[in-house]
């Protein structure tokens, strides 16, 4: 498990003054990574670290003369247009760069003069995926989501018997994952109404979002060499916000017996910034398993998992309809939840994924599954909030929704906050629904 160190110190401030704002997502204790360039330019994309409302251009920092040793080697990898090589270097290199950046960005640091020339305003930046995602696996780790969705699909048998033993997942498709700002066409496909004798073809009528945490694998493992539970954190580079858009009507018809397919692979959106495992260390919380539930098999259980395996990431979903956008009004909040409710931890997902010898590679990506909290209003999808489309939700401007309309934009936000630690945030994950292809 990552340990607390000087980079987490609540009293640190930065010479980048916007980083000292109490409400910023990106204080000096965060230092998340992205791939960026100046908006509308033909500059090469390269690595960047967020600080306040600025980005430290890591390609420029590499040439600044400020850094040396392992941190300088890490910067050389971060100057590329994808973070895979840096992710592959492992947690010692990630930590060395974090520490060096933390020291160089602190109030009074000698590096200010050289490094202030390496800043680009976030308002002037555009992003792409932070790495080349090889394989993408989507888990299903919220027992609250699994139970309420199970009730809709199988009223007599909501939670299948394997759920409390196996971190359930399926292999997804990485080619349609894109960064925040993604706009995609409403998918078309086969659906079958319950009372219809045959399926029909057309635009999805039950388009939904899924509030998920995205997990980036850093250092991988050799084929045949499982990652043990307590070693798993060293393989996880960091976390982001993830919207796994879902076509519920296509899903309901296609999902048996092999699971999700075209209902899921038309678009998925990630936030640009990866908040590192190390930055999240102060927000570790105990992971518990109800005494009435099966306890995990030994390869999924450890003292460290029990004491600090979960992470308290507060999450919210907002909806910005076309009407709100035209009126210049604020998006409407749909729900709030926390990743701490997850039935399985990130480490358990990694340990389970590799226990059969499956090899993970730098830049591989996991979705956590929809993160719904225990209460109905904490649900992470419209499917749950509207009880399968039967109870429309009313928005503040009088509009109603059962599922998403064309022109709707969904915004995910996430942050960590507690007494004695700096508030850190994930920025924003936003995607827009366009009409189906005519
Ligand atoms: Ca999903």
């Amino acid at each position: 498990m990552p340990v607390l160190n000087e980079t987490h110190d609540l009293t640190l401030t930065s010479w980048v003054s916007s980083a000292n704002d109490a409400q910023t997502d990106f204080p000096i204790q965060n230092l998340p990574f992205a791939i960026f360039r100046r908006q509308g330019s033909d500059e090469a994309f390269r690595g960047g670290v967020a600080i306040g409302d600025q980005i430290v251009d890591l390609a420029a920092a590499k040439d600044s003369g400020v850094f040396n040793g392992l941190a300088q080697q890490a910067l050389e990898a971060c100057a590329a247009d994808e973070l895979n090589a840096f992710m592959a270097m492992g947690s010692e290199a990630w930590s060395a760069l974090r520490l060096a950046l933390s020291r160089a960005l602190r109030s009074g640091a000698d590096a200010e003069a050289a490094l202030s020339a390496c800043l680009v305003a976030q308002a002037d930046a555009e992003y792409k995926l932070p790495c080349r995602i090889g394989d993408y696996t989507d888990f299903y780790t919220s027992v609250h989501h699994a139970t309420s969705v199970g009730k809709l699909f199988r009223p007599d048998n909501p939670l299948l018997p394997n759920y409390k033993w196996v971190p359930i997942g399926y292999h997804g498709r990485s080619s349609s994952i894109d960064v925040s700002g993604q706009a995609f066409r409403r998918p078309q496909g086969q659906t079958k109404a319950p009372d219809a004798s045959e399926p029909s073809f057309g635009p999805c009528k039950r388009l939904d979002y899924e509030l998920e945490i995205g997990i980036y694998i850093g250092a991988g493992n050799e084929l045949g060499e499982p990652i043990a539970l307590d070693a798993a954190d060293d393989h996880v580079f960091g976390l982001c916000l993830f919207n796994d858009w879902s076509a519920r009507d296509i899903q309901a018809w296609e999902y048996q017996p092999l699971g999700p397919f075209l209902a899921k692979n038309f678009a998925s959106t990630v936030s640009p910034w990866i908040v590192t495992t190390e930055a999240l260390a102060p927000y570790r919380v105990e992971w518990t398993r109800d005494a009435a539930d099966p306890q995990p098999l030994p390869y999924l259980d450890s003292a460290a998992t029990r004491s600090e395996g979960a992470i308290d990431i507060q999450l919210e979903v907002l909806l910005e309809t076309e009407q709100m956008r035209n009126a210049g009004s604020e998006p409407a909040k749909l729900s709030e939840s926390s990743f701490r409710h997850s039935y399985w931890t990130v480490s358990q997902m990694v340990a389970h994924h590799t226990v059969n010898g499956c090899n993970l590679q730098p830049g591989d990506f996991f979705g956590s599954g929809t993160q719904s909290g225990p209460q109905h209003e904490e649900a992470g999808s419209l499917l749950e909030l509207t009880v399968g489309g039967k109870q429309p939700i009313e928005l503040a401007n009088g509009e109603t929704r059962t599922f998403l309309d064309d022109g709707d934009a969904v915004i995910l936000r996430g942050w960590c906050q507690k007494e004695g630690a700096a508030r850190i945030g994930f920025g924003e994950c936003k995607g827009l629904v366009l009409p189906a292809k005519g």
Side-chain angles (χ1 to χ4, degrees), residues 341-409:
H341 300 306
S342 180
Y343 198 78
W344 301 102
T345 69
V346 172
S347 295
Q348 287 168 328
M349 290 181 234
V350 171
H352 182 68
H353 203 306
T354 61
V355 74
N356 65 346
C358 175
N359 51 330
L360 302 177
Q361 295 180 307
D364 280 358
F365 186 83
F366 298 171
S368 64
T370 307
Q371 292 302 306
S372 299
Q375 305 302 321
H376 171 74
E377 61 273 18
E378 295 171 321
S381 69
L382 283 173
L383 181 68
E384 294 157 85
L385 288 174
T386 69
V387 194
K390 290 198 279 287
Q391 294 175 16
I393 50 172
E394 186 159 347
L395 306 172
N397 67 353
E399 290 184 274
T400 59
R401 287 291 182 277
T402 48
F403 291 95
L404 296 171
D405 278 8
D406 294 344
D408 283 353

Side-chain angles (χ1 to χ4, degrees), residues 133-327:
I133 297 174
D135 280 309
Y136 155 48
T137 303
D138 198 20
F139 283 90
Y140 198 52
T141 68
S142 164
V143 70
H144 309 295
H145 173 73
T147 305
S148 45
V149 170
K151 267 183 203 149
L152 296 170
F153 282 67
R154 294 176 306 274
D156 305 335
N157 190 17
L159 202 61
L160 295 170
N162 57 2
Y163 187 86
K164 292 185 171 180
W165 295 95
V166 178
I168 299 291
Y170 70 94
H171 285 120
R173 193 165 170 84
S174 57
S175 63
S176 49
I177 302 177
D178 205 350
V179 76
S180 184
Q182 182 176 30
F184 63 92
R185 289 191 180 280
R186 175 179 297 272
Q188 308 201 67
Q190 275 196 40
T191 60
K192 190 180 93 58
D195 53 356
S197 58
E198 288 181 356
S200 57
F201 180 85
C204 165
K205 294 191 187 72
R206 291 160 70 91
L207 183 61
D208 202 356
Y209 60 84
E210 290 191 330
L211 169 65
E212 302 198 22
I213 291 290
I215 298 149
Y216 285 98
I217 299 301
N221 60 305
E222 294 296 324
L223 185 63
E225 298 292 332
I227 297 171
L229 181 65
D230 283 349
D233 278 322
D234 278 344
H235 293 264
V236 177
F237 179 69
L239 273 48
C240 71
L241 303 170
F242 181 52
N243 185 345
D244 185 28
W245 306 92
S246 297
R248 300 300 183 193
D249 43 0
I250 297 173
Q251 182 178 357
W253 173 230
E254 76 173 5
Y255 89 108
Q256 288 180 317
L258 286 185
F261 182 30
L262 302 184
K264 300 283 187 172
N265 66 7
F266 55 91
S268 310
T269 313
V270 293
S271 55
W273 296 104
I274 307 176
V275 176
T276 62
T277 300
E278 189 173 354
L280 291 164
Y283 301 100
R284 294 277 178 164
V285 290
E286 62 172 0
W287 173 85
T288 54
R289 174 58 51 89
D290 194 316
D293 278 3
Q295 301 305 299
L297 292 177
Y299 78 95
L300 294 173
D301 203 352
S302 72
T305 296
R306 298 269 177 175
S307 64
E308 52 180 356
I311 312 174
D312 186 15
I313 303 173
Q314 300 178 53
L315 299 165
E316 67 179 20
V317 184
L318 302 105
L319 176 66
E320 180 193 73
T321 67
E322 194 164 24
Q323 193 176 314
M324 291 174 192
R325 215 162 26 251
N326 291 340

